[in-house]
Amino acid sequence: MRELLARHIDAGLMPGAVALLGGPDAEPIAVGSSAVGGPPMTVDAIVRIQSMTKIVTSVAALRLVEAGRLTLDDDVVPWLPELAARPVLTRPDAELDDTVPRDRPITLRHLLTNTSGYGIQIEDTPLARAMTANDTEAGPAPSPLGADEWLAKMAELPLAFQPGAGWRYHHGFAILGVLISRIVGRPLQDHLRDDLFEPLDMPDTGLWVPSDRCHRLTAAYRLDDGSLIETEPAAGGAYAGPPPADVSHGELVSTVADFHSFLRGIATMVSTEHLNLMTHDRIPASIKTDDSFYPGFWAATGWGFGVSVVTEGDHLGRYGWSGGQGTDFFVDPDGTVGILLTQTELSEATFALLSEFQELS
């Protein structure tokens, strides 16, 4: 693992990385530096994990189900009235006024499985252009909008399909963060801290980095024509210090040790039934289409609650997911865990690293 990371650092993909691979007692390693020209990377580096957040909010939601606050198939509108009576496009590429009424509720299950009707639009469609125009398009930077304003802008737009009748990635989980915060009556950050992070000994995980720990926040980059372009400085950027607005729709920062504690502790936080639902494929074959994500994604992959699931091949039963800032994790049926935290946005080169990392076990 150390050789793999050093090779990609030497090739200019990233300044450094922290990784862990093994069983319950596996220890992280740090390679390279925390920024271009910066100090050495440390195993307690705080990194933007982006879409690895989805498994965390999935567990938080399932705990609310087990506490009797809602069910998987409850309509979310009582907590998210902005979504009431939103129309549905006649087809995903239709004009915004070419709609029909929604014929079924949006449920928690739909949010967990990316089937709510909201999500990234892969093609250049009227809906995709409208999402860009009103600041709800997903991107590498955190949303500039507070949670309530962001949800209100999402609710200005029609759904791409009837809930449960299609698959589109990402936005359902931002909505899920707002849903959790409204059910519990306080910001998602506070609820996750008390319900998950403190019980699982995850002191460095949150929706932002406290000011006294910002010195451990690594820089962030994108790869442009083979060169690293800094998008957020070390110890700075959108995650450094408390944000000016509620970010319950946002994504987490974490460390390898914290995320390892989370993965080891999931089975103590939710029932066996819900863990099984979360970590097995829940998507019907009829909506596993190439236009829903990217061609070939569904060939050996399914989706549970907040994680992808390997459905064929040598790693059958493995679940995990990546983050847009070049992070990745997986859990094998035998309990082997892999966690990789880098600082460079996903690209063809980053995907090559993640693929090699996945094959180490």
Side-chain angles (χ1 to χ4, degrees):
M1 183 166 67
R2 188 180 297 275
E3 185 277 331
L4 169 66
L5 299 179
R7 174 160 47 85
H8 283 272
I9 290 169
D10 292 344
L13 177 61
M14 59 209 178
V18 189
L20 175 149
L21 180 64
D25 298 323
E27 295 289 338
I29 64 167
V31 183
S33 58
S34 61
V36 173
M41 182 70 82
T42 58
V43 294
D44 64 349
I46 299 174
V47 178
R48 303 157 185 83
I49 66 169
Q50 293 195 333
S51 285
M52 286 168 55
T53 300
K54 290 175 171 60
I55 187 175
V56 178
T57 48
S58 294
V59 170
L62 292 173
R63 285 177 58 77
L64 292 177
V65 172
E66 294 179 6
R69 306 292 291 271
L70 79 167
T71 74
L72 285 169
D73 297 308
D74 277 348
D75 189 342
V76 300
V77 163
W79 299 280
L80 306 175
E82 297 94 331
L83 303 185
R86 296 310 304 151
V88 180
L89 294 174
T90 57
R91 60 184 191 280
D93 61 350
E95 295 296 330
L96 296 185
D97 59 356
D98 185 4
T99 63
V100 296
R102 200 177 72 220
D103 64 11
R104 67 200 77 169
I106 298 172
T107 68
L108 174 58
R109 191 187 302 270
H110 292 140
L111 298 179
L112 292 168
T113 55
N114 287 318
T115 59
S116 68
Y118 290 107
I120 291 173
Q121 305 303 304
I122 303 299
E123 305 295 332
D124 180 18
T125 65
L127 179 56
R129 293 191 290 273
M131 292 174 71
T132 299
N134 78 349
D135 290 324
T136 56
E137 179 186 32
S143 171
L145 307 174
D148 289 345
E149 184 182 4
W150 177 87
L151 185 64
K153 285 184 172 291
M154 283 300 303
E156 295 172 356
L157 304 173
L159 280 68
F161 47 79
Q162 295 287 352
W167 197 92
R168 291 294 187 277
Y169 180 63
H170 183 68
H171 288 73
F173 283 90
I175 296 171
L176 176 63
V178 182
L179 174 65
I180 293 171
S181 72
R182 291 189 180 178
I183 291 173
V184 300
R186 57 181 180 153
L188 181 65
Q189 165 84 0
D190 297 341
H191 178 69
L192 292 179
R193 179 196 62 220
D194 294 345
D195 194 56
L196 290 177
F197 300 155
E198 288 188 353
L200 292 176
D201 190 22
M202 300 169 63
D204 294 317
T205 301
L207 293 168
W208 66 85
V209 183
S211 299
D212 62 353
R213 300 182 191 180
C214 283
H215 63 284
R216 290 163 47 205
L217 177 64
T218 65
Y221 299 88
R222 72 173 188 272
L223 201 61
D224 189 356
D225 290 331
S227 298
L228 286 171
I229 307 300
E230 186 178 271
T231 55
E232 291 197 79
Y239 292 93
D246 178 31
V247 289
S248 293
H249 60 321
E251 294 176 313
L252 296 167
V253 296
S254 191
T255 64
V256 164
D258 276 19
F259 208 78
H260 192 211
S261 293
F262 173 75
L263 295 176
R264 291 199 322 264
I266 287 176
T268 69
M269 305 304 287
V270 297
S271 68
T272 301
E273 175 190 1
H274 282 138
L275 182 61
N276 181 67
L277 284 172
M278 186 174 72
T279 58
H280 288 77
D281 186 19
R282 300 297 158 196
I283 308 303
S286 61
I287 62 174
K288 291 181 176 179
T289 57
D290 280 349
D291 65 351
S292 66
F293 202 26
Y294 60 82
F297 174 73
W298 297 111
T301 307
W303 185 266
F305 293 168
V307 291
S308 67
V309 183
V310 178
T311 56
E312 294 183 19
D314 294 340
H315 300 300
L316 179 67
R318 170 178 288 184
Y319 68 88
W321 197 233
S322 303
Q325 199 58 52
T327 63
D328 190 50
F329 81 94
F330 63 83
V331 179
D332 283 333
D334 67 0
T336 300
V337 169
I339 304 170
L340 172 61
L341 305 184
T342 82
Q343 314 131 288
T344 304
E345 288 177 19
L346 291 180
S347 65
E348 185 176 346
T350 321
F351 276 121
L353 165 61
L354 302 191
S355 179
E356 288 185 74
F357 178 71
Q358 291 265 340
E359 293 305 318
L360 289 178
S361 171

